[in-house]
């Protein structure tokens, strides 16, 4: 993760922004996460958080303690919120998305 990001002219669009390799959104290279051995790969912050959550979920497979159980319940709750589209709600969507950053 200490490698400097390599941004080539091919990566940059007309506004000096790069594409997220996960979702296709664009941002400045300084606002993207870059992979250690592949600094040419850009991940937007939202996708980086998503990847982190996925890694945590994979690590939890096979764990049965109370913390793993609680994290599973939060994941189930998040999935239900997303399924119902509450994260796009005008009144509580912003708060739910904010809260989701801090939950497993
Ligand atoms: Zn993305």
């Amino acid at each position: 993760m200490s490698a400097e990001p390599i941004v080539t002219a091919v990566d940059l669009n007309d506004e000096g922004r790069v594409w997220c390799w996960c979702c296709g959104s664009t941002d400045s290279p300084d606002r993207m996460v870059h992979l250690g051995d592949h600094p040419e790969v850009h991940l937007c912050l939202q996708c980086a958080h998503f990847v982190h959550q996925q890694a945590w979920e994979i690590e939890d497979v096979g764990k049965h303690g109370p913390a793993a159980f609680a994290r599973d319940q939060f994941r189930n709750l998040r999935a239900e919120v997303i399924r119902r589209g509450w994260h796009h709600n005008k009144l509580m969507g912003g708060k739910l998305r904010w809260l989701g950053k801090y939950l497993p």
Side-chain angles (χ1 to χ4, degrees):
M1 300 274 185
S2 62
E4 285 297 314
I6 298 172
V7 179
T8 65
V10 173
D11 294 331
L12 294 172
N13 68 12
D14 292 340
E15 298 165 356
R17 299 160 67 99
V18 293
W19 286 270
C20 172
W21 282 45
C22 183
C23 71
S25 67
T26 61
D27 207 341
S28 75
D30 296 344
R31 301 263 316 146
M32 295 282 194
V33 173
H34 307 276
L35 303 184
D37 280 346
H38 295 278
E40 72 279 8
V41 175
H42 314 286
L43 285 179
C44 72
L45 297 180
Q46 286 182 323
C47 289
H49 286 297
F50 174 74
V51 168
H52 174 248
Q53 288 171 343
Q54 293 293 305
W56 205 353
E57 191 171 337
I58 291 169
E59 284 182 342
D60 271 353
V61 170
K63 291 184 179 177
H64 301 289
F69 176 77
R71 288 191 295 268
D72 265 351
Q73 296 306 308
F74 280 122
R75 288 183 191 112
N76 292 338
L77 181 61
R78 172 185 286 118
E80 187 65 16
V81 165
I82 292 171
R83 188 184 70 75
R84 292 175 182 254
W86 291 348
H87 60 301
H88 293 303
N89 183 287
K90 289 181 182 178
L91 296 176
M92 61 182 176
K95 291 180 176 93
L96 289 172
R97 290 190 303 273
W98 174 83
L99 184 60
K101 290 180 185 177
Y102 299 101
L103 296 176

